[in-house]
C-alpha cells in the first residue's frame, strides 16, 4: 500500500473513531427483515434513517441497527422498547396486536381497492392515521414515528394445490400472525388458521407443520418461501400496517432540535420504505422471481367476491364482539377514510 493510501485509510479510521467517541446519544433500531435496503421496506427505512440522523447530527447521535429479529420476536422487542431497553422498533401488525389489539381493524378483507388508496390511508398523517396513532400512543405509551403498509397486498401460498375458489381453501393449514381477526378470516374461508411467530414460519412450512401462509409478494420473495411452497395464488385479500415506534420517555428527553431531526428522518425513511416495496413488486426481485419457481395463478374477480362474502362478515363480527363500540368506531373511521380516498381515484 502506498503512503498516500495508508494515510487516507488511517485518516478515515480516525474520523470514524472520533465520530463514535463524539456520539452522546445512541438509538438502537430493531426490525424483523433483512438489512439490505434493496431487499425489504424496513431494511430501506432503517438505512435511510441511520444515514439522515447521523449525518445531520454531526455524529452526536449514533443509530445502531438490529435487523432479522436479532433482538427477539416482534412482540418481545416492543416490550423492550416500552421498558426502555431498546429505543425503537419497526413492527408488523402481528407484533403490535399483542400490545394494541385494535390494529385488528385492518384485517377486514378486501377493504382496500388498490395500493394507491392504501398508501393514502395507512400513514400517520391521514385523517384515520392521526386517530389510529393517537389512540395507540395513549394506550401503549409508545411514540409512533411511522405508519405504512406491510409491503403490499397479502396473497396465499401453499404446498398442496392452486387456490382458485373458496372451496380450494378447505382443510389447508394456513399460518397467520397471532391476531384473532386474521384467524377468523382464514377460518371463515374453510381453512384451518395456525397462528405462530414469524421466526418459526420458514421451518414450519419446510417441515409441513403448516401447508401455507399469507404475505405480500416482497415478503414472500425475501423470506425465500418459494423454496418451501409450490403455489402462489393472487387474491389481494388483505393489507396490514407496519408500525414504527420509539420509547416515549427517550423521545421526550431529546432536545426540540433532536426531536425534529428524528421525526423528519423517520418521515423520509418511511416514504423510502413505502417506495421500496413498490420497486420490489415491479422488479425481477418480486413476482417474476417467484413465478420462475412457483406456480402462480390469479383468482377470478367473480371468485374474489365469494371470498369477500365469506370472510368480511366473520371478521367484522369478531371486531364488534371483541372490541365493542370502540372497535366498531375505529373500523368505521377506517372505512370512511378508505371511501373518501376512493372518490379521488
Amino acid at each position: 500500500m502506498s503512503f498516500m493510501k495508508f494515510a487516507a485509510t488511517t485518516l478515515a479510521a480516525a474520523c470514524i473513531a472520533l465520530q463514535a467517541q463524539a456520539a452522546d446519544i445512541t438509538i438502537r433500531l430493531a426490525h424483523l427483515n433483512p438489512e439490505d435496503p434493496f431487499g425489504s421496506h424496513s431494511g430501506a427505512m432503517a438505512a435511510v434513517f441511520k444515514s439522515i440522523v447521523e449525518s445531520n447530527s454531526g455524529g452526536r447521535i449514533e443509530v445502531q441497527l438490529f435487523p432479522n429479529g436479532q433482538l427477539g420476536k416482534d412482540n418481545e422487542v416492543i416490550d423492550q422498547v416500552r421498558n426502555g431497553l431498546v429505543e425503537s422498533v419497526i413492527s408488523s401488525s402481528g407484533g403490535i396486536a399483542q400490545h394494541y389489539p385494535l390494529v385488528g381493524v385492518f384485517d377486514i378483507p378486501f377493504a382496500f381497492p388498490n395500493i394507491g388508496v392504501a398508501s393514502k390511508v395507512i400513514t400517520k398523517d391521514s385523517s384515520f392515521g392521526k386517530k389510529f396513532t393517537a389512540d395507540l400512543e395513549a394506550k401503549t405509551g409508545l411514540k409512533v414515528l411511522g405508519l405504512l403498509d406491510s409491503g403490499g397486498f397479502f396473497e396465499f401460498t401453499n404446498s398442496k394445490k392452486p387456490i382458485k375458489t373458496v372451496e380450494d381453501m378447505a382443510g389447508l393449514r394456513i399460518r397467520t400472525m397471532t391476531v384473532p381477526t386474521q384467524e377468523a378470516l382464514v377460518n371463515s374461508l374453510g381453512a384451518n388458521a395456525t397462528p405462530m411467530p414469524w421466526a418459526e414460519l420458514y421451518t414450519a412450512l419446510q417441515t409441513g407443520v403448516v401447508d401455507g401462509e399469507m404475505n405480500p409478494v416482497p415478503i414472500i420473495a425475501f423470506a425465500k418461501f418459494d423454496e418451501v411452497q409450490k403455489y402462489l395464488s393472487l387474491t389481494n385479500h388483505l393489507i396490514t400496517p407496519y408500525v414504527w415506534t420509539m420509547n416515549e420517555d427517550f423521545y421526550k428527553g431529546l432536545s426540540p432540535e433532536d426531536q425534529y431531526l428524528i421525526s423528519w428522518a423517520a418521515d423520509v425513511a418511511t416514504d423510502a420504505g413505502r417506495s421500496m416495496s413498490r420497486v420490489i413488486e415491479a422488479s425481477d426481485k418480486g413476482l417474476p422471481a417467484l413465478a420462475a419457481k412457483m406456480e402462480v395463478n390469479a383468482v377470478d374477480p367473480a371468485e374474489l367476491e365469494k371470498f369477500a362474502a365469506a370472510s368480511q362478515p366473520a371478521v367484522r363480527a369478531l371486531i364488534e364482539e371483541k372490541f365493542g363500540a370502540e372497535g366498531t368506531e375505529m373500523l368505521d373511521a377506517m372505512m370512511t377514510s378508505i371511501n373518501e380516498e376512493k372518490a379521488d381515484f
Side-chain angles (χ1 to χ4, degrees):
M1 179 184 292
S2 70
F3 175 80
M4 292 300 292
K5 287 184 177 179
F6 174 79
T9 302
T10 303
L11 179 61
C15 289
I16 292 171
L18 285 171
Q19 185 180 53
Q21 290 173 4
D24 53 23
I25 298 172
T26 299
I27 298 174
R28 287 160 292 191
L29 172 58
H31 63 94
L32 291 177
N33 299 331
E35 185 172 15
D36 179 10
F38 301 102
S40 71
H41 63 348
S42 56
M45 291 161 69
V48 171
F49 180 76
K50 176 180 174 68
S51 175
I52 291 176
V53 170
E54 291 185 344
S55 62
N56 284 274
S57 69
R60 288 186 307 100
I61 305 176
E62 178 189 11
V63 179
Q64 298 177 355
L65 303 182
F66 296 88
N68 290 310
Q70 291 177 8
L71 300 185
K73 296 175 183 177
D74 212 0
N75 66 300
E76 294 172 344
V77 183
I78 297 171
D79 265 329
Q80 294 169 26
V81 173
R82 294 183 75 175
N83 293 330
L85 302 176
V86 175
E87 286 72 39
S88 188
V89 61
I90 303 169
S91 310
S92 71
S93 62
I96 284 291
Q98 297 180 56
H99 298 265
Y100 181 71
L102 270 181
V103 73
V105 299
F106 284 95
D107 291 326
I108 288 288
F110 304 99
F112 292 91
N114 55 58
I115 197 65
V117 169
S119 295
K120 293 284 189 179
V121 174
I122 308 176
T123 168
K124 66 184 180 67
D125 296 320
S126 71
S127 59
F128 174 71
K130 290 176 182 177
K131 177 182 178 66
F132 176 81
T133 56
D135 195 57
L136 188 155
E137 288 177 340
K139 290 176 178 172
T140 64
L142 292 166
K143 168 70 178 176
V144 176
L145 295 181
L147 181 68
L148 76 164
D149 71 81
S150 55
F153 283 100
F154 278 52
E155 323 292 358
F156 284 113
T157 72
N158 81 97
S159 59
K160 298 296 186 182
K161 58 185 175 181
I163 297 171
K164 298 181 179 180
T165 68
V166 174
E167 289 72 24
D168 291 329
M169 296 288 296
L172 290 175
R173 293 166 296 174
I174 302 293
R175 178 265 180 180
T176 68
M177 300 180 198
T178 309
V179 183
T181 41
Q182 290 190 15
E183 296 173 47
L185 187 164
V186 167
N187 289 334
S188 71
L189 296 174
N192 298 318
T194 308
M196 68 174 58
W198 169 258
E200 300 174 11
L201 178 53
Y202 185 95
T203 301
L205 294 169
Q206 186 178 44
T207 58
V209 171
V210 292
D211 301 315
E213 56 83 47
M214 57 181 190
N215 263 302
V217 163
I219 293 180
I220 295 169
F222 77 63
K224 299 182 179 180
F225 289 155
D226 55 283
E227 298 175 347
V228 290
Q229 297 278 267
K230 185 175 181 179
Y231 303 100
L232 168 59
S233 300
L234 304 178
T235 50
N236 287 1
H237 60 281
L238 191 66
I239 192 162
T240 64
Y242 261 47
V243 185
W244 184 354
T245 57
M246 176 170 273
N247 178 275
E248 186 176 44
D249 289 338
F250 173 82
Y251 181 83
K252 288 181 176 179
L254 298 171
S255 68
E257 293 78 14
D258 286 344
Q259 288 181 1
Y260 177 85
L261 172 58
I262 296 303
S263 296
W264 169 62
D267 286 344
V268 175
T270 299
D271 287 342
R274 187 178 289 110
S275 298
M276 184 53 64
S277 290
R278 306 292 85 80
V279 169
I280 294 171
E281 287 176 330
S283 75
D284 58 6
K285 289 184 177 182
L287 194 57
L290 296 176
K293 296 184 178 181
M294 304 175 75
E295 182 179 318
V296 179
N297 70 281
V299 179
D300 186 88
E303 287 299 325
L304 289 178
E305 291 182 6
K306 296 178 183 178
F307 275 77
S311 57
Q312 282 181 344
V315 176
R316 185 174 187 100
L318 180 61
I319 290 172
E320 292 174 347
E321 175 188 348
K322 188 174 180 64
F323 305 120
E326 182 182 39
T328 302
E329 180 189 0
M330 187 67 75
L331 174 58
D332 289 344
M334 185 182 78
M335 296 307 300
T336 297
S337 185
I338 290 171
N339 290 329
E340 288 173 352
E341 295 298 341
K342 281 168 63 175
D344 293 334
F345 277 77

